[in-house]
């Protein structure tokens, strides 16, 4: 299936979850925020949130500083 990832087309297997996407991107365990179709997906729901054809996903890396 084809989704929009940070504004770019991205191919994933059908039925992939947010957690699976993060694994594909090598971001498992990192501090990221995920927005799916304009809604934030809590980390506790990454494994159960299934992506669909045409989903719009934004992944933002948390960067510390001060």
């Amino acid at each position: 299936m084809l989704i929009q990832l940070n504004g770019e087309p991205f191919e994933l297997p059908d039925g992939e979850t947010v957690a699976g996407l993060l694994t594909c991107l090598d971001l498992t365990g990192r501090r990221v925020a995920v927005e799916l179709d304009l809604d934030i997906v809590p980390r506790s729901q990454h494994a159960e949130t299934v992506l669909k054809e045409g989903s719009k996903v934004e992944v933002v890396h948390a960067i510390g500083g001060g």
Side-chain angles (χ1 to χ4, degrees):
M1 76 177 152
L2 191 62
I3 66 167
Q4 289 289 315
L5 176 62
N6 294 342
E8 299 291 328
F10 193 82
E11 188 76 32
L12 282 173
D14 288 342
E16 189 64 86
T17 63
V18 170
L21 171 62
L22 295 177
T23 298
C24 289
L25 299 173
D26 198 26
L27 296 176
T28 303
R30 301 223 181 140
R31 295 183 63 188
V32 297
V34 179
E35 180 184 280
L36 172 59
D37 296 327
L38 303 177
D39 290 319
I40 298 295
V41 180
R43 183 182 302 268
S44 62
Q45 295 179 10
H46 286 182
E48 61 196 47
T49 303
V50 178
L51 301 170
K52 298 178 178 102
E53 180 78 28
S55 291
K56 293 181 181 167
V57 181
E58 296 288 329
V59 177
V60 180
H61 301 261
I63 298 175

